[in-house]
């Protein structure tokens, strides 16, 4: 078979043009799979996702319930660095990571499982490289830990959403301790109490407000000094001259980025006057270009 990829339409950056998976029409289940003798998408769904207690389908169900509670209508995208994008206000975009856990499993158990929520940190796909470079980080603004609280296997009903409990945690609470996973004990010790499905939206709004306020708080200078020791490139300015803004647009492309203590994205302009000059702020790509030009 001849590779005809060279004939495919591409955008200005060289990417093959495709439909956006987040905006494709939603399947109803009635669509037929051609050549199968009348099988439908609903038949496939029944085959692949019949057991809502299995770990993968339970995770999909948890994401669906959170999205439903928050009024999110977009389709699920498998390879996004976060699970849901929420707009609590027209000018706000909140990244949400959803995790699920349960006491009961589909497989045989000698005892109830100990609920835990892992994978809170992850790498982000660099599409230009086709790889996941760098260290795992926090890619969401708030994290929703979903617990199926049923402990009686004879009463288990996968369609009963009343047994689901939701813990909503702001990003900074996890990042302050560099946590890649948490359990119920940590949630309890840190004051995170579960809410019901009907309470989830108001709780998410409350926690997002906490995270937003924290994100706008200037990064402490001692954290910057620690960062300076491990920076992958030389920054020829003292950290006391670095702008403390946590969110700012890139000087080169205008893209707004979040600037954490873990990654140095903010530098003082070489053209500013001593001590009080203006600040240039760069997204990761343009910061690397700036740093290369200083070497």
């Amino acid at each position: 078979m001849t590779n005809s990829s060279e004939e495919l339409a591409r955008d200005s950056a060289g990417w093959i043009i495709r439909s956006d998976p987040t905006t494709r029409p939603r399947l109803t289940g009635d669509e037929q799979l051609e050549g199968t003798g009348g099988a439908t998408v609903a038949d496939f769904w029944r085959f692949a996702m019949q057991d809502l207690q299995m770990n993968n389908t339970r995770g999909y169900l948890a994401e669906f319930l959170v999205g439903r509670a928050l009024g999110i209508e977009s389709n699920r995208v498998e390879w996004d660095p976060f699970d849901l994008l929420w707009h609590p206000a027209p000018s706000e975009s909140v990244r949400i990571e959803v995790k699920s856990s349960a006491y009961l499993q589909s497989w045989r158990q000698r005892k109830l499982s100990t609920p835990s929520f892992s994978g809170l940190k992850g790498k982000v796909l660099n599409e230009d490289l086709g790889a996941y470079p760098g260290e795992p980080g926090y890619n969401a603004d708030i994290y929703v830990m979903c617990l199926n609280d049923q402990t009686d296997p004879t009463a288990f009903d996968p369609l009963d959403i009343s047994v689901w409990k939701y813990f909503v945690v702001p990003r900074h609470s996890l990042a302050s301790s560099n946590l890649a996973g948490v359990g119920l004990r940590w949630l309890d010790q840190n004051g995170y109490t579960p809410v019901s499905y009907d309470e989830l939206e108001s709780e998410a709004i409350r926690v997002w407000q906490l995270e937003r306020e924290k994100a706008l708080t200037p990064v402490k200078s001692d954290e910057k000094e620690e960062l300076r020791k491990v920076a992958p490139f030389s920054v020829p300015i003292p950290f006391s001259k670095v702008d403390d803004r946590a969110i700012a647009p890139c000087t080169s492309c205008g893209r707004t980025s979040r600037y954490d203590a873990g990654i140095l994205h903010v530098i003082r302009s070489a053209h500013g006057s001593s001590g009080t000059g203006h600040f240039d702020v760069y997204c990761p790509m343009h910061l690397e270009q700036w740093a290369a030009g200083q070497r």
Side-chain angles (χ1 to χ4, degrees):
M1 181 179 293
T2 303
N3 186 341
S4 58
S5 63
E6 296 300 324
E7 302 174 4
L8 297 174
R10 298 173 183 271
D11 61 19
S12 59
W15 293 104
I16 295 174
I17 296 176
R18 61 173 177 80
S19 61
D20 183 349
T22 64
T23 60
R24 290 172 186 164
R26 286 193 167 184
L27 298 174
T28 66
D30 296 330
E31 296 84 358
Q32 290 200 353
L33 301 173
E34 296 183 9
T36 61
T40 67
V41 171
D43 293 327
F44 164 69
W45 288 341
R46 280 189 286 269
F47 166 81
M49 299 184 182
Q50 178 68 26
D51 187 356
L52 297 180
Q53 195 176 10
M54 285 296 293
N55 285 3
N56 56 348
T57 51
R58 186 184 64 218
Y60 298 152
L61 177 59
E63 292 178 26
F64 171 78
L65 292 175
V66 173
R68 188 83 172 183
L70 300 181
I72 299 172
E73 297 292 340
S74 61
N75 297 338
R76 184 180 185 276
V77 180
E78 183 70 29
W79 297 111
D80 271 357
F82 50 88
D83 294 319
L84 300 169
L85 187 63
W86 178 40
H87 303 288
S91 61
E92 293 182 325
S93 295
V94 182
R95 301 166 300 169
I96 300 176
E97 182 73 15
V98 179
K99 296 297 180 182
S100 73
S101 192
Y103 293 100
L104 298 175
Q105 308 296 340
S106 284
W107 54 85
R108 298 175 67 186
Q109 296 175 263
R110 293 187 181 274
K111 62 179 182 178
L112 297 177
S113 295
T114 300
S116 62
F117 306 93
S118 59
L120 303 181
K121 300 174 69 175
K123 293 184 177 183
V124 177
L125 174 65
N126 184 316
E127 294 183 335
D128 289 316
L129 299 177
Y132 293 83
E135 296 298 320
Y138 299 100
N139 301 313
D141 302 300
I142 63 176
Y143 292 72
V144 183
M145 320 299 184
C146 306
L147 172 66
N148 189 306
D149 203 29
Q150 179 62 264
T151 58
D152 181 358
T154 64
F156 181 83
D157 179 359
L159 304 181
D160 181 10
I161 67 167
S162 68
V163 297
W164 284 91
K165 309 299 180 187
Y166 308 88
F167 302 83
V168 187
V169 181
R171 175 189 180 280
H172 70 262
S173 184
L174 301 169
S176 63
S177 299
N178 196 31
L179 296 173
V182 299
L184 296 181
R185 182 178 180 183
W186 182 90
L187 291 167
D188 180 65
Q189 290 177 340
N190 287 272
Y192 295 105
T193 57
V195 298
S196 67
Y197 177 86
D198 292 334
E199 300 167 323
L200 180 53
E201 182 176 20
S202 60
E203 177 68 357
I205 291 173
R206 184 188 70 83
V207 172
W208 162 237
Q209 291 173 344
L210 293 175
E211 175 60 28
R212 181 176 56 189
E213 292 172 3
K214 187 69 175 180
L216 293 174
T217 302
V219 177
K220 296 179 180 178
S221 59
D222 57 347
E223 292 176 326
K224 290 177 181 175
E225 289 299 336
E226 288 299 316
L227 173 63
R228 186 180 190 181
K229 299 175 184 177
V230 297
F233 42 77
S234 174
V235 180
I237 54 172
F239 271 64
S240 60
K241 302 293 179 64
V242 174
D243 187 1
D244 278 342
R245 287 176 295 181
I247 300 176
C250 174
T251 298
S252 294
C253 65
R255 175 185 176 186
T256 298
S257 298
R258 187 183 302 272
Y259 302 101
D260 304 318
I263 306 174
L264 180 61
H265 288 174
V266 185
I267 61 171
R268 181 174 183 274
S269 170
H271 305 293
S273 59
S274 177
T276 59
H278 72 276
F279 294 92
D280 287 341
V281 183
Y282 296 99
C283 65
M285 179 179 70
H286 289 111
L287 177 58
E288 287 286 1
Q289 293 179 0
W290 178 89
Q294 302 300 310
R295 295 190 182 108

